[in-house]
Amino acid sequence: HRAATGPAASSGKNWLLYFQGGGWCRPDPPDSDDKEPLPFPPSLIDWCSDRATSELGSTRSDAATHDFSEKPLFSKDPFQNPMFHDWHVVFIR
């Protein structure tokens, strides 16, 4: 969570909820040694057991805090982000 600044901070009404994508996976077959190729591009969908070991499937390797400067959408600069620069921001994994 990044707290709002300026007028948005006092109103408490402006929240940007960002849901990170990329968590879709296919359950492993009963015999997990017998995984046939998936009918999707490898970058689109994985087996759940494989996805669980990646950064998209687990928060184990996440830092205690999040760097909100990685996307212009989270920028505090009103010229770069005129709509949300002073809003509360929540990054949901």
Side-chain angles (χ1 to χ4, degrees):
H1 170 258
R2 183 190 77 201
T5 58
S10 60
S11 75
K13 294 180 181 180
N14 299 328
W15 289 82
L16 172 61
L17 303 178
Y18 182 85
F19 294 85
Q20 182 184 30
W24 183 36
C25 65
R26 179 175 172 184
D28 290 4
D31 180 4
S32 60
D33 293 332
D34 189 28
K35 293 181 182 177
E36 78 271 4
L38 292 170
F40 302 101
S43 61
L44 178 63
I45 185 170
D46 295 322
W47 293 105
C48 291
S49 62
D50 297 336
R51 177 61 60 94
T53 60
S54 76
E55 70 175 33
L56 292 176
S58 175
T59 58
R60 288 183 187 175
S61 63
D62 284 4
T65 60
H66 187 80
D67 178 10
F68 284 100
S69 66
E70 70 181 32
K71 292 184 180 286
L73 178 66
F74 304 137
S75 176
K76 291 182 182 180
D77 181 343
F79 295 105
Q80 187 176 27
N81 184 10
M83 184 68 174
F84 305 117
H85 70 275
D86 60 349
W87 287 29
H88 293 281
V89 177
V90 179
F91 189 92
I92 301 168
R93 294 242 313 133

